[in-house]
Amino acid sequence: MATAQTLLEEKTEPAGLGMRALICIQDVLVEYGQPGKPSKRILNGLSLDIRAGEFISIVGQTGCGKSTLLRLVLAEEMPTRGQVLVEGSPRQQPDRRCGYVPQKYSLFPDRTVLENITFGLEVTEIGILGGFSPARRVRRKEFQSEAIGYLHRMGLRESDASKYPHQLSGGMQQRVAIAQALIMRPKILLMDEAFSALDPGTRAGMQRLIKDLWRETGTTVLFVTHNPREAVILATRVIALGRTGADEDGANIVLDLSVPDTGDELAIAALVQRVERTTFPGGAESDEQTGAPEV
Amino acid sequence: MSVLQIHAHPTRTTVWILSWFLFVTGVISYFWVSRERHRDNPDDRVMPTLRQMSQAFVDATLKPAEDDEAAANASQQSLATRVRNSMLWKDTAATGRRFLISMALLFPAVLLGLHMGMFPHVGAFFLRFVLFFDKIVALSLLPILFIAFGIDELAKVMLIVVGVAPTIILDAFNLTRSVPKEQIVKGFTLGAGDFSITYRIVLKQIWPRVLNSIRLNLKSVMLFLFAGEMIASTDGLAYRIALLRRHMGMDTIIPYVLWVALLLFLVDFGMRTLNRKLHPWFQEA
Ligand SMILES: Nc1ncnc2c1ncn2[C@@H]1O[C@H](COP(=O)(O)OP(=O)(O)OP(=O)(O)O)[C@@H](O)[C@H]1O
Ligand SMILES: [Mg+2]
């Protein structure tokens, strides 16, 4: 049986569609309406192509629609107009191609760490009633040792495996949530402010971890954050959302920035400043700055 | 030191004394008043003495029910057989059976609420109807139920179901809806289908809360059960209490009331303990 390490090293296949992007967001418009009230426009004609293997950070002021954009990619939500294609086809509901690490409620509270990580494998291979046959039990053992491999990779101890999520710290919970998503080897990993509840030290560690994992797996990552610095140091490309016109017009992409893979602190600082200025034009403070991970 | 202080720190002994005070005074004053009344009138039936009550309770547990054939050779039987033939045992068994049947019938209610919460079409189909049903005063349906189902077991069980099921359905529905959306999306992204998500994520998560909600509704279950038994029944604890009222049998009624309270307490305690043991991850609010 392959170890977790080698599995992590298996690169996700490139889209295989020639120049076609892995994710195609085409002119989407999102409006929330209640009957009897004028509908509220959130995203207005946003278009974005994402190639396989990119690490995209999405920044923007609170309420500008970052989470909405992720929900569109997940296919948890359908746009009012326009469409979102993953590997060239539209979808009706979220599926295995996207792994998802939300900010809150990222783990199943009723399962232990190990059960949380193996859940995806079990649910796809073992039916509700098929859990008791001997062959399944062997399979389950395999899942568990694979999960233990991920646990180690995430820097967690084996003694944590039998703990319940409420017994873990926030950082540990997010590590488990990432392992839970990655064990399914998703083509796309979506993270919605996954680190924003963590203290700066833990956060820097998690940034390092996610960047390493991205390098190892080649998964496409969409990473929503409030923090311009975090956005720049992690990503290969930063997308800033913002409103250009009046408030009711909704948001669109105000900045699409490629980030060179450089260790040059000055260049990074310049990029951070640029993102900051576009995202928070009022000169508002961005949230806490964290140390650069040693990437 | 003031008693009415938010930041008061009563000692363990104080807490113990305070919490038992009303029990002790209640019992003492009862027996004191009872003794006074018996001094005035030795045939008083309203407030039986401790001896009368224990005698009546022993009779209820050890003597066969009055309409029993086996009454003649009662004294030769073993203790266990005597208890099994006794009035109290038969009444408890009859009430317990109805109680268990009603509880079993509440589980489909949980599943209905779950599906209403998960699947919008099912929700649209049932929600308005259940909300309406919930507003019907179940006891007002009693005559209708007796006419429709006759005065046998079915009517009594239906009374409980009609009275409690809407609450359980709506509770399960609301609990289902309160599961964070993230969990469901997460399920889909991990490759689970609609039914896997419904049963393996959502039902499993709300289960301890559902058990809690059933536990909190035990009193309504008993209320409807007793109403049914008092009005139309030939056995059961409430039937016995209603029957004894006709001959002012307070010496049996009071132990019966306490017995019912004890049983309900034990069921409640058992369910709570079970819930904690089965769901170590569950933190009660
Ligand atoms: N279901 C909904 N109904 C109505 N309005 C909604 C709904 N979901 C989101 N919105 C609105 O859409 C806007 C964008 O929400 P979204 O959650 O995408 O913002 P965000 O950029 O993720 O913000 P934050 O940084 O605070 O998480 C918000 O103004 C919000 O009020
Ligand atoms: Mg958000």
Side-chain angles (χ1 to χ4, degrees):
Chain A
M1 196 198 71
T3 67
Q5 192 61 41
T6 59
L7 289 176
L8 282 171
E9 276 159 6
E10 271 174 29
K11 300 258 184 203
T12 311
E13 288 293 308
L17 296 161
M19 285 311 289
R20 285 270 285 289
L22 175 63
I23 306 170
C24 260
I25 301 171
Q26 295 171 347
D27 189 30
V28 295
L29 178 95
V30 177
E31 285 178 339
Y32 291 118
Q34 277 146 359
K37 277 194 201 160
S39 57
K40 191 179 168 203
R41 191 169 290 183
I42 311 298
L43 295 175
N44 189 2
L46 186 147
S47 295
L48 178 66
D49 280 353
I50 297 169
R51 287 181 306 279
E54 283 192 285
F55 193 127
I56 308 249
S57 287
I58 300 166
V59 290
Q61 280 178 356
T62 184
C64 72
K66 303 185 292 294
S67 301
T68 307
L69 185 59
L70 281 201
R71 283 201 297 274
L72 290 176
V73 175
L74 273 167
E76 187 205 343
E77 199 176 304
M78 295 299 140
T80 317
R81 190 191 75 201
Q83 56 177 351
V84 178
L85 307 175
V86 170
E87 295 180 308
S89 57
R91 294 163 308 155
Q92 293 308 311
Q93 59 182 30
D95 59 37
R96 285 186 54 176
R97 282 178 289 185
C98 295
Y100 180 44
V101 182
Q103 179 182 352
K104 283 188 297 181
Y105 311 113
S106 51
L107 295 173
F108 302 123
D110 54 321
R111 293 171 195 275
T112 62
V113 166
L114 196 66
E115 288 165 348
N116 259 290
I117 300 179
T118 55
F119 178 82
L121 298 173
E122 295 221 354
V123 87
T124 42
E125 270 204 33
I126 303 180
I128 294 181
L129 300 173
F132 301 105
S133 66
R136 297 302 195 197
R137 221 169 297 145
V138 173
R139 223 31 213 131
R140 185 165 286 157
K141 276 272 170 308
E142 287 171 15
F143 295 158
Q144 285 174 357
S145 50
E146 189 175 349
I148 297 277
Y150 273 88
L151 214 55
H152 288 310
R153 181 65 192 85
M154 297 293 149
L156 293 166
R157 284 185 301 275
E158 219 168 313
S159 57
D160 295 326
S162 57
K163 286 188 180 155
Y164 284 97
H166 73 268
Q167 296 167 314
L168 304 177
S169 70
M172 285 156 89
Q173 284 181 18
Q174 290 307 53
R175 281 165 204 263
V176 177
I178 294 169
Q180 182 188 43
L182 283 182
I183 203 168
M184 301 302 290
R185 265 159 266 145
K187 292 207 160 67
I188 306 160
L189 182 64
L190 302 159
M191 305 180 76
D192 193 353
E193 291 171 41
F195 301 159
S196 57
L198 309 178
D199 68 80
T202 316
R203 191 169 179 160
M206 294 296 287
Q207 289 169 355
R208 227 170 293 139
L209 179 65
I210 198 69
K211 188 113 197 201
D212 289 347
L213 288 169
W214 169 71
R215 289 221 174 96
E216 286 165 29
T217 57
T219 305
T220 311
V221 180
L222 261 72
F223 188 91
V224 167
T225 175
H226 271 125
N227 186 324
R229 185 172 174 80
E230 181 172 80
V232 170
I233 51 188
L234 287 178
T236 57
R237 186 173 164 202
V238 178
I239 304 286
L241 296 184
R243 297 194 177 84
T244 40
D247 222 27
E248 322 62 82
D249 285 352
N252 206 330
I253 297 177
V254 289
L255 180 73
D256 184 344
L257 189 71
S258 290
V259 181
D261 192 6
T262 167
D264 181 3
E265 262 302 315
L266 275 176
I268 290 176
L271 289 175
V272 171
Q273 211 170 41
R274 196 159 153 218
V275 171
E276 216 161 293
R277 240 185 265 127
T278 340
T279 319
F280 308 102
E285 301 266 311
S286 65
D287 56 7
E288 81 276 20
Q289 304 279 306
T290 59
E294 299 136 16
V295 286
Chain B
M1 185 203 80
S2 166
V3 174
L4 291 180
Q5 238 179 20
I6 292 172
H7 286 288
H9 295 286
T11 63
R12 280 177 71 98
T13 330
T14 323
V15 168
W16 194 86
I17 292 172
L18 286 176
S19 62
W20 284 105
F21 183 79
L22 286 177
F23 283 100
V24 174
T25 38
V27 170
I28 289 177
S29 36
Y30 174 88
F31 286 118
W32 186 75
V33 175
S34 154
R35 204 185 58 189
E36 292 302 300
R37 288 180 68 113
H38 278 266
R39 194 172 291 153
D40 292 347
N41 168 20
D43 292 332
D44 182 83
R45 304 197 56 130
V46 179
M47 294 185 82
T49 60
L50 182 59
R51 179 170 326 132
Q52 286 171 323
M53 283 195 285
S54 21
Q55 185 57 50
F57 192 70
V58 168
D59 285 354
T61 32
L62 294 181
K63 288 211 176 133
E66 75 273 357
D67 51 345
D68 208 302
E69 306 286 284
N73 50 0
S75 48
Q76 291 121 35
Q77 289 166 335
S78 73
L79 188 69
T81 343
R82 274 162 67 191
V83 169
R84 218 170 320 118
N85 285 330
S86 73
M87 186 168 89
L88 183 77
W89 178 263
K90 286 195 163 156
D91 289 339
T92 310
T95 302
R97 199 184 57 237
R98 289 179 195 126
F99 177 79
L100 288 180
I101 294 174
S102 324
M103 295 289 277
L105 284 178
L106 289 181
F107 283 92
V110 172
L111 290 183
L112 179 59
L114 172 75
H115 289 94
M116 281 166 59
M118 290 303 291
F119 305 114
H121 284 105
V122 182
F125 190 74
F126 285 108
L127 184 60
R128 196 182 290 274
F129 184 71
V130 175
L131 281 172
F132 165 74
F133 225 65
D134 190 45
K135 296 291 167 289
I136 294 181
V137 178
L139 284 179
S140 69
L141 280 183
L142 204 57
I144 302 177
L145 288 174
F146 284 152
I147 293 167
F149 298 108
I151 54 169
D152 55 3
E153 293 304 287
L154 188 59
K156 273 164 282 194
V157 169
M158 284 315 287
L159 175 67
I160 300 170
V161 170
V162 170
V164 187
T167 318
I168 301 286
I169 294 173
L170 291 176
D171 263 352
F173 172 76
N174 287 325
L175 286 170
T176 305
R177 297 298 292 267
S178 70
V179 169
K181 198 93 195 280
E182 283 91 337
Q183 300 266 309
I184 291 161
V185 176
K186 188 114 205 183
F188 276 120
T189 62
L190 293 175
D194 295 279
F195 287 103
S196 284
I197 290 177
T198 305
Y199 301 118
R200 291 166 90 167
I201 297 178
V202 176
L203 180 60
K204 195 156 172 282
Q205 253 179 62
I206 65 170
W207 190 238
R209 287 191 181 82
V210 166
L211 280 184
N212 236 353
S213 145
I214 292 181
R215 187 173 64 80
L216 294 173
N217 278 300
L218 281 183
K219 267 192 100 154
S220 324
V221 172
M222 290 307 276
L223 183 76
F224 292 121
L225 179 53
F226 271 37
E229 281 189 351
M230 282 196 178
I231 293 169
S233 187
T234 52
D235 54 2
L237 293 163
Y239 157 78
R240 190 69 56 193
I241 293 175
L243 185 71
L244 288 164
R245 179 194 58 91
R246 279 187 233 147
H247 352 115
M248 288 256 286
M250 282 295 259
D251 52 349
T252 317
I253 291 180
I254 293 174
Y256 256 68
V257 169
L258 294 176
W259 172 243
V260 172
L262 175 73
L263 286 180
L264 198 56
F265 171 79
L266 287 178
V267 172
D268 184 273
F269 182 77
M271 280 182 77
R272 222 170 27 192
T273 316
L274 197 70
N275 215 356
R276 240 196 338 259
K277 286 269 147 57
L278 288 180
H279 310 108
W281 54 272
F282 177 58
Q283 276 136 6
E284 236 166 308

